[in-house]
Amino acid sequence: MNRRQDLVEKVIFDGYDFGVLMQYVEGANRLFLERNGFYIRRAEHPQHRYWRLPKGKLLDDLDVLFHRLMELSEDRFNESWETFSHKITAAQNDPDRQAFTWGLTFRIAPLAQGGILLSGDYHPGAVAVSRRMHGVFLGHSKSWRIDAGAEVVRSNLILELGLSEDQFEILDTVQELLTDGSVVPADEITRISLGGPPQERVAKAADDSTSTDVYLAAVPSIERTGFTTEQINQALAGYSLLDHQPAGIRHLLQRTSALLADDMGLGKTRQAIIAAAIRAADRPILVITLSTLIINWQREIQMVYPEATIGQQAFDPSSQWIITNYERLGDFVLHAGHFDVMIIDEAHRLKEPTAAWTRHGFDIAAKIPNRYLLTGTPVLNRESELHTLLRLSGHPVGKLPLKEFCEQFAGSQDFRINLRDAIGDWMLRRRKDVLPGLKGKQRQTLPVELTAEERKQYDQIRLEDRPSLARLGSLRQLLEQVKVRVVMDLLCELDAEDKVILFCEFKDTVGTLRTRCKQAEYGCVTVVGSDSVGKRQKAIDQFQSDPETRVFAATTSAAGTGNNLTAANYVMFLGLPWTPGLQDQAEDRAYRNGQLRMVVVKIPLVENTIDQMLWQMLRDKRQLASDLIEPDAIASARSELSASL
């Protein structure tokens, strides 16, 4: 007779966490997850298939866990309480400090006022070392500020965890205090109120070992370069450019860092490529963009420089151009000194100073002498977002602490005008009126009434006893589905040569539109976030070139930036993005250079719902951004008022 297998094959312990390797038992994963367990899925991990559990969570009710496992296994395995507890005790008596250190990396950077900043992968042993060294945890950036030298911190971690030296990145870029976390944004923007049951807020316990300080690498100050206008004009003699583009190239070349904030569709990519190539003079160039736009950048570089050597998403010292996405920036921190020019496309992605890619972006920028920032939407929600970009460039205004910056430049229209004047030499922005061929863009809102059944469903969701954000998401999804019938009616009114982009916030709505278009025999392609880059590009190419493909349905997050969809002369929003910048970016997939027709934007808004509040919030944010970045917004408003009087 065959002997039954043991339930638990092996137990390991590193002094902080247990690792349990056991037979498959249906329902056991729930027991481990309830105890903050983590299943190691990576096949290359030495502890592949182990459950990793914190010591306290496992030992607190070990007997309960054992009996529940035996109930679930229905006595199929050979295990008793004595053998089970013995395996746990044996592991405790023979700890392996390297049990869970495979793949860990830590980053140590010096602070301007002394000490270091420690960040990287989580391990309870690293937390213990940081606490023993009287470190302060910086909650926003998930790092530790420790008053000690880099070598001392590294040595203590090696002694505690048995790490190797190649598991550390020791940076020489000095980190400066950006903010102490005390800045509260001014409340000038319409808020969305749902009503319904009040939700309790959970108060955070005070802890002397935590802080809201945020640190970023110190970036060199902007300097004027030696390029004269005459030299630049001579360098541009062989290029085919639109009338407004030489000025944009000059703006970048005459400064070591600058922001090109042209409207979408004016060719920021082409201008930056030419400026970078002239400035680099055959030295390496790093381009940072969205993962979905890497192909676009490669094509654009090859159109200007057919012989260029281009690498993608990995460091290659033989390539003159390397294009990578924000998520991969950490791989380039130690190679930053290799590059002469850094182009940061969609630079507003770095507005959040606590994001890992922002921290990595600053570490890289600190080592690269020339930094060109590109975005048509430098301000999405509030003035403080511009502070991060100014700091990344090395602008004097960006070197102000965030609190002082907000006190001087945020909270009123007059303050914002002062800020616009202060950064006028750094930021160049042109609107689409520099393109004489464009026929214009017209934005129309359409009132929509809910049916009695839809109103009942809306109110039911609105008044549910759930957190407000959860209810808000459900309401937005419901309203998108309501607008499907409205949009399908609008499609019937289009002429045969018209094409339309349908933007949604939810993937399910895109699926519904695809089904309805197929039923109505409209040629339709779709793009959602889970689509591969190749699949997205195929959909874009088909929409642009195939007369029978008249509908492009997509989520705004997946297709609202960077793509050229000038075959469309209609844009419709079933759901609105949270910022006017994202809305403008989405609209301007159609309204850009190469568009030969008037672009009509239709925005259905459901009466007496959150739609009106969201629309007003977007209008408030649009006014804030206009004060900061539109060169003649104030003068235009005054002229209109004067004329009306």
Side-chain angles (χ1 to χ4, degrees):
M1 182 176 178
N2 292 332
R3 182 179 179 274
R4 290 183 299 170
Q5 290 180 304
D6 288 351
L7 172 63
V8 176
E9 296 181 41
K10 189 175 181 181
V11 179
I12 58 176
F13 181 62
D14 71 345
Y16 298 96
D17 293 342
F18 283 95
V20 179
L21 179 65
M22 58 177 288
Q23 305 295 336
Y24 174 75
V25 175
E26 187 172 355
N29 60 334
R30 186 173 64 253
L31 298 178
F32 290 128
L33 290 171
E34 288 171 352
R35 292 159 175 80
N36 293 349
F38 173 76
Y39 185 69
I40 300 175
R41 299 182 182 277
R42 294 183 64 176
E44 63 270 31
H45 197 293
Q47 270 61 262
H48 173 53
R49 292 182 50 242
Y50 275 76
W51 276 95
R52 180 178 175 180
L53 298 109
K55 176 176 66 175
K57 294 289 186 179
L58 180 68
L59 297 181
D60 280 352
D61 61 351
L62 189 62
D63 56 338
V64 175
L65 175 63
F66 169 73
H67 290 297
R68 289 290 293 119
L69 286 172
M70 295 308 292
E71 288 174 10
L72 291 172
S73 66
E74 298 176 341
D75 202 31
R76 289 185 290 117
F77 300 105
N78 181 44
E79 198 75 71
S80 66
W81 166 247
E82 288 74 19
T83 59
F84 181 77
S85 58
H86 174 74
K87 291 171 183 175
I88 300 293
T89 303
Q92 277 186 285
N93 292 335
D94 185 24
D96 175 8
R97 61 180 181 165
Q98 295 178 305
F100 301 110
T101 61
W102 180 89
L104 289 182
T105 57
F106 293 97
R107 171 183 177 272
I108 301 176
L111 294 175
Q113 71 271 40
I116 62 94
L117 204 63
L118 172 68
S119 59
D121 297 313
Y122 172 78
H123 191 288
V127 174
V129 169
S130 300
R131 290 188 184 280
R132 285 202 299 268
M133 299 185 73
H134 306 291
V136 175
F137 183 66
L138 309 181
H140 287 324
S141 54
K142 295 181 174 58
S143 55
W144 288 86
R145 184 178 65 216
I146 302 174
D147 188 16
E151 287 303 324
V152 174
V153 174
R154 178 167 67 172
S155 296
N156 285 346
L157 287 169
I158 289 174
L159 288 171
E160 182 74 18
L161 301 176
L163 301 170
S164 61
E165 292 195 359
D166 61 5
Q167 289 181 273
F168 291 88
E169 293 179 3
I170 307 293
L171 306 184
D172 57 3
T173 49
V174 176
Q175 311 287 304
E176 293 181 326
L177 179 68
L178 172 75
T179 173
D180 60 5
S182 63
V183 176
V184 178
D187 194 6
E188 296 183 351
I189 296 171
T190 300
R191 304 297 175 189
I192 296 178
S193 174
L194 299 181
Q199 300 295 315
E200 293 185 7
R201 293 180 178 268
V202 179
K204 292 185 178 179
D207 186 346
D208 291 339
S209 65
T210 64
S211 169
T212 54
D213 290 356
V214 177
Y215 291 83
L216 292 171
V219 177
S221 298
I222 297 175
E223 296 179 1
R224 285 277 177 172
T225 66
F227 280 102
T228 65
T229 300
E230 183 180 354
Q231 287 175 322
I232 295 171
N233 290 341
Q234 289 176 355
L236 296 180
Y239 294 94
S240 176
L241 297 167
L242 299 175
D243 291 345
H244 68 279
Q245 291 179 329
I249 296 170
R250 282 196 300 272
H251 179 70
L252 296 175
L253 281 174
Q254 291 180 333
R255 299 153 182 82
T256 55
S257 187
L259 171 66
L260 187 58
D262 285 348
D263 249 352
M264 284 72 75
L266 294 187
K268 292 188 292 293
T269 301
R270 176 69 61 93
Q271 295 172 73
I273 287 170
I274 294 172
I278 293 172
R279 180 63 180 167
D282 294 328
R283 292 184 295 272
I285 299 164
L286 177 65
V287 178
I288 301 163
T289 187
L290 307 183
S291 59
T292 55
L293 301 182
I294 289 176
I295 292 177
N296 294 23
W297 271 90
Q298 181 181 11
R299 289 179 177 179
E300 193 72 22
I301 292 169
Q302 289 172 334
M303 286 177 64
V304 183
Y305 303 109
E307 304 301 319
T309 55
I310 305 172
Q312 291 186 19
Q313 296 182 298
F315 179 69
D316 177 5
S318 65
S319 296
Q320 185 195 357
W321 299 80
I322 294 182
I323 312 170
T324 192
N325 52 299
Y326 284 91
E327 293 80 2
R328 295 284 186 91
L329 284 184
D331 298 340
F332 289 85
V333 171
L334 297 182
H335 303 294
H338 174 77
F339 300 97
D340 190 70
V341 179
M342 173 186 192
I343 300 174
I344 308 170
D345 186 29
E346 306 293 345
H348 56 271
R349 291 293 296 270
L350 298 179
K351 68 184 177 67
E352 177 48 65
T354 61
W357 57 48
T358 301
R359 188 173 69 243
H360 294 146
F362 270 76
D363 289 336
I364 294 169
K367 292 289 189 179
I368 299 180
N370 301 285
R371 304 167 300 280
Y372 300 157
L373 281 62
L374 313 179
T375 176
T377 53
V379 179
L380 292 175
N381 292 295
R382 56 183 65 91
E383 304 94 331
S384 58
E385 295 169 355
L386 201 55
H387 179 259
T388 310
L389 299 186
L390 287 162
R391 196 178 187 94
L392 182 66
S393 265
H395 193 284
V397 173
K399 292 182 180 296
L400 293 172
L402 182 58
K403 185 175 183 179
E404 187 176 337
F405 172 89
C406 289
E407 288 172 349
Q408 288 190 34
F409 298 118
S412 79
Q413 188 178 71
D414 289 339
F415 287 178
R416 290 191 286 270
I417 294 171
N418 292 339
L419 175 59
R420 193 185 68 210
D421 293 341
I423 64 176
D425 185 65
W426 168 73
M427 178 177 70
L428 177 64
R429 179 171 177 81
R430 280 82 57 86
R431 292 184 294 189
K432 286 198 175 67
D433 51 18
V434 300
L435 295 176
L438 279 179
K439 305 299 182 184
K441 178 172 70 172
Q442 186 180 90
R443 192 179 284 146
Q444 304 171 355
T445 58
L446 306 173
V448 177
E449 290 284 352
L450 293 176
T451 65
E453 182 59 34
E454 288 167 346
R455 174 62 65 182
K456 181 180 178 181
Q457 191 176 357
Y458 178 90
D459 287 338
Q460 182 179 346
I461 295 172
R462 184 176 65 85
L463 298 174
E464 284 177 348
D465 189 10
R466 288 196 295 157
S468 57
L469 284 178
R471 287 181 285 147
L472 181 60
S474 297
L475 289 173
R476 296 187 78 203
Q477 196 161 11
L478 171 65
L479 294 181
E480 281 200 358
Q481 292 293 335
V482 167
K483 294 173 192 176
V484 169
R485 58 176 166 83
V486 178
V487 165
M488 295 308 298
D489 289 342
L490 291 172
L491 293 183
C492 295
E493 300 173 7
L494 301 183
D495 293 333
E497 65 273 14
D498 291 331
K499 288 195 174 192
V500 60
I501 307 170
L502 305 178
F503 280 116
C504 313
E505 294 299 299
F506 296 92
K507 182 178 177 179
D508 288 349
T509 316
V510 176
T512 302
L513 287 168
R514 180 175 57 238
T515 301
R516 293 289 298 273
C517 285
K518 184 177 180 180
Q519 292 169 348
E521 298 185 348
Y522 294 125
C524 174
V525 291
T526 63
V527 170
V528 295
S530 56
D531 291 341
S532 67
V533 173
K535 185 176 180 181
R536 296 182 195 205
Q537 194 61 49
K538 183 178 179 181
I540 292 167
D541 292 343
Q542 180 178 334
F543 181 73
Q544 286 288 91
S545 60
D546 179 12
E548 299 302 316
T549 304
R550 298 178 56 207
V551 179
F552 184 95
T555 55
T556 312
S557 59
T561 57
N563 301 307
N564 185 351
L565 297 170
T566 49
N569 59 321
Y570 280 87
V571 180
M572 301 181 190
F573 287 91
L574 287 86
L576 288 167
W578 286 111
T579 70
L582 294 177
Q583 181 192 341
D584 292 345
Q585 289 248 26
E587 292 174 359
D588 290 355
R589 298 313 94 213
Y591 183 57
R592 58 195 298 113
N593 190 32
Q595 178 59 261
L596 303 177
R597 299 183 283 181
M598 163 77 79
V599 174
V600 178
V601 180
K602 291 184 177 288
I603 305 169
L605 297 176
V606 182
E607 295 287 295
N608 300 312
T609 68
I610 57 170
D611 260 6
Q612 277 93 356
M613 287 181 274
L614 178 54
W615 183 244
Q616 185 59 48
M617 183 182 76
L618 290 173
R619 293 179 65 181
D620 294 344
K621 290 181 178 181
R622 193 178 297 280
Q623 181 59 51
L624 184 152
S626 177
D627 292 345
L628 284 172
I629 64 176
E630 296 298 350
D632 56 354
I634 304 302
S636 175
R638 286 173 178 159
S639 298
E640 289 179 12
L641 179 60
S642 175
S644 67
L645 295 175

